[in-house]
Amino acid sequence: MPPSPIGPDGTIVEVASPRLNTKDELIRVRAFYLDIAHWAAEEPARWAPWVVPCPISDEEISKAKDRKHRKARMDQRTRERLPVLPVLADTVDRRRRAAAQLLAAAEHTRPGDLIPDTAGALRRAVAPKAAGHLTWAEETSTGQRRNLTYEESEAFWAFAAIEVLRLTGIRNEELLELTHHSITEYRLPTTGEVVPLLQVAPSKTDSERLLLVSPELADILSTIIRRLRGSSGAIPLVTSYDVHERVWNPPMPLLFQRDIGTEHRAFTPTALRKLLINALAATGLTDAAGEPLVFSPHDFRRIFVTDAIMNGLPPHIAQVICGHKSLDATIGYKAIYPAETVEAHRAFIARRRATRPSDEYRTPTEEEWDAFLAHFEKRKVSIGTCARAFSSPCVHEHACVRCSLLRPDPAQRGRLEEIRDNLVARIAEAERGLARGGRRTPGQPGWRRRQACSNGPTNSRRHGDQPWHATHSRSSTYPGEGNGFAETING
């Protein structure tokens, strides 16, 4: 848990952050309600009075959004650590070499003398009661003692663990279960060439797999084997505890084992995480918030998948290498980069242009360009802007208020309100006319006669070159509804 921040006045500032396992707590509460309902079915007399509907709905415990947020956090974590991975690998290698040189110089120095190449900062400690296989030194300025044998061992195994994890992408459990027997070979039937392979024992998916050993990985594995071989030339057999199966494994020549006192013991997941923490502390790397950067063993697995797919490895091959049962799991490990999305979109546009007629991409003429510019100049209307595409007709016959392509101008809001108020007033006036009975609606008796009467004077019919009222005379008497309409055509 990170320490609480300190305010300017020296007091502790409480910072609230969203709880990541909120849905898990809600699921437990919902499960409790369901348990009571189940118990009531078995013992109604005891549990039936306590059965009530669960206040937590299915939507409240849905983890769809949480999974998306977790994927985003994983991708961001990978994007932060992938660029600094070479820095980490180089730092742990230099740290290992420096610790080995310091230990070798101290072993050739008599107790009490200054260790060479330390600028007088370290002296070989006089430790008569210390174990004979340990080399101690003390700082001349503070007198603090340092176990150089332990420092060299820690630096070496941190280097070995990081290199194997980043070159193979295997899980934490699979790393700790690698043995000398895991290194095998395969002879190609066509050329007879011997190919080294690394056999990964069954772990999460309960299926073993074989990984091709690269020259870099072969160098790391050979260095580990040379270090573990004793005077007999064999790797010691050690037992290990499987924290997932909760059983003790039989003695095996594990590759990741260390000396503790006079015994050989296998590395544990906690010890492996401690190695990574100490190695990262030596690099001085920080995250975006300025905090020390933290690597977990599984971060190397995500980085391995992301780097492999970005460099052209097909996802289904990465799935086999990682031992995933589904391709979705492999794709979920791969972090998405914005630059990768842009390049993919550009490639799509290039492929689409290659399939379209070439004359669509010709240089327009001066007349076509002027017409194109004039279209945008004419898009300005009285109450906004028309978003109609170039060379497309107006489907509303320039009735812009009714068009969905109109982009109203906020400055014309007053005019739009005036148009709306006018329409509301006209509708209200028409409704009042209907309420007084002044106009019949379709379907009522006499509607067609009144419609013909009202349409007569406004008709656009002509008789020669003279208007309608000059060539027609009408006489009608309809003081009330239902009266007839007479029309006489003269001449």
Side-chain angles (χ1 to χ4, degrees):
M1 182 176 180
S4 300
I6 305 299
D9 55 350
T11 59
I12 298 178
V13 180
E14 183 177 352
V15 179
S17 59
R19 187 170 182 172
L20 298 180
N21 63 337
T22 304
K23 299 295 179 65
D24 297 336
E25 300 299 329
L26 295 179
I27 290 176
R28 292 188 181 95
V29 175
R30 183 178 175 86
F32 177 68
Y33 277 84
L34 295 179
D35 287 342
I36 294 178
H38 181 72
W39 298 337
E42 296 178 350
E43 300 181 54
R46 181 177 182 181
W47 297 105
W50 306 102
V51 175
V52 293
C54 181
I56 302 174
S57 61
D58 293 339
E59 291 77 11
E60 293 180 276
I61 61 175
S62 176
K63 291 191 174 184
K65 185 179 294 185
D66 294 343
R67 284 191 290 267
K68 294 179 181 178
H69 292 173
R70 183 172 64 250
K71 177 65 167 63
R73 291 194 303 269
M74 289 168 48
D75 289 354
Q76 180 61 26
R77 187 181 179 94
T78 302
R79 285 191 290 264
E80 286 182 351
R81 285 153 180 77
L82 181 57
V84 302
L85 183 59
V87 178
L88 175 61
D90 181 66
T91 302
V92 295
D93 188 23
R94 288 188 285 105
R95 178 169 172 255
R96 171 185 68 97
R97 296 179 184 275
Q101 293 174 1
L102 180 60
L103 177 61
E107 289 176 347
H108 292 83
T109 303
R110 292 183 303 177
D113 294 346
L114 295 177
I115 300 176
D117 300 329
T118 61
L122 288 178
R123 176 187 292 110
R124 176 75 182 269
V126 179
K129 296 184 179 180
H133 66 283
L134 299 180
T135 302
W136 289 84
E138 62 181 18
E139 299 179 356
T140 56
S141 59
T142 62
Q144 182 180 1
R145 288 194 173 187
R146 293 168 52 181
N147 188 346
L148 300 184
T149 304
Y150 173 79
E151 291 181 3
E152 189 276 336
S153 175
E154 182 187 30
F156 174 82
W157 288 114
F159 162 78
I162 290 175
E163 288 297 312
V164 174
L165 286 173
R166 78 179 186 91
L167 293 175
T168 60
I170 58 178
R171 301 179 179 92
N172 181 15
E173 176 188 2
E174 296 168 345
L175 174 74
L176 300 180
E177 292 182 354
L178 289 179
T179 67
H180 193 194
H181 303 307
S182 300
I183 304 174
T184 182
E185 62 182 26
Y186 174 73
R187 188 177 299 275
L188 298 177
T190 55
T191 61
E193 180 183 0
V194 177
V195 178
L197 299 175
L198 183 65
Q199 183 180 10
V200 180
S203 59
K204 183 177 179 180
T205 57
D206 199 21
S207 60
E208 66 177 5
R209 62 187 189 276
L210 294 174
L211 303 180
L212 181 64
V213 177
S214 63
E216 296 82 2
L217 180 59
D219 184 44
I220 300 300
L221 295 177
S222 62
T223 304
I224 295 175
I225 293 174
R226 287 198 308 268
R227 182 183 181 89
L228 292 177
R229 279 177 172 169
S231 57
S232 62
I235 296 179
L237 302 179
V238 296
T239 58
S240 60
Y241 183 73
D242 193 330
V243 296
H244 299 284
E245 300 293 337
R246 297 184 179 181
V247 295
W248 285 93
N249 296 322
M252 295 182 294
L254 295 176
L255 295 183
F256 282 85
Q257 57 175 284
R258 56 179 175 172
D259 296 334
I260 298 182
T262 59
E263 298 180 358
H264 294 279
R265 295 184 183 180
F267 274 92
T268 61
T270 303
L272 181 59
R273 286 193 294 270
K274 185 178 179 181
L275 290 178
L276 296 179
I277 293 174
N278 294 337
L280 284 165
T283 63
L285 296 173
T286 58
D287 56 12
E291 298 293 332
L293 195 64
V294 178
F295 269 78
S296 69
H298 218 70
D299 286 327
F300 296 96
R301 183 172 174 85
R302 298 190 187 99
I303 292 175
F304 176 82
V305 174
T306 302
D307 185 63
I309 295 180
M310 288 181 59
N311 285 278
L313 184 68
H316 65 281
I317 302 299
Q319 173 192 354
V320 176
I321 294 176
C322 294
H324 290 149
K325 286 187 175 181
S326 65
L327 186 61
D328 294 337
T330 306
I331 297 301
Y333 273 44
K334 181 189 175 299
I336 304 298
Y337 283 80
E340 185 181 4
T341 305
V342 173
E343 293 175 1
H345 183 65
R346 288 179 175 176
F348 166 74
I349 293 177
R351 291 193 302 269
R352 185 181 63 179
R353 287 183 174 179
T355 58
R356 297 179 68 88
S358 58
D359 56 348
E360 294 187 3
Y361 301 100
R362 62 179 176 83
T363 303
T365 62
E366 292 293 338
E367 293 78 9
E368 292 173 340
W369 185 250
D370 293 339
F372 181 73
L373 295 179
H375 164 74
F376 291 96
E377 294 176 358
K378 296 177 181 179
R379 291 175 63 174
K380 179 63 178 177
V381 294
S382 60
I383 55 177
T385 303
C386 178
R388 182 163 47 93
F390 174 66
S391 71
S392 60
C394 179
V395 297
H396 292 292
E397 298 181 355
H398 304 286
C400 299
V401 179
R402 298 164 46 199
C403 184
S404 60
L405 297 178
L406 174 66
R407 301 297 181 264
D409 184 3
Q412 301 296 328
R413 179 172 180 175
R415 186 172 181 181
L416 290 172
E417 292 177 351
E418 182 181 352
I419 295 175
R420 182 200 61 186
D421 296 342
N422 181 267
L423 291 174
V424 171
R426 292 172 62 185
I427 293 174
E429 181 181 358
E431 291 177 348
R432 287 194 300 269
L434 290 176
R436 291 195 301 267
R439 178 174 296 181
R440 295 181 183 273
T441 58
Q444 292 181 343
W447 176 80
R448 293 190 181 276
R449 292 194 299 273
R450 292 290 304 276
Q451 183 72 11
C453 177
S454 62
N455 289 343
T458 59
N459 243 334
S460 61
R461 292 178 294 177
R462 299 271 182 171
H463 184 75
D465 294 335
Q466 299 182 0
W468 184 86
H469 60 80
T471 57
H472 296 73
S473 64
R474 63 176 183 175
S475 60
S476 61
T477 56
Y478 47 97
E481 291 193 47
N483 293 320
F485 170 74
E487 179 180 71
T488 305
I489 300 177
N490 299 324

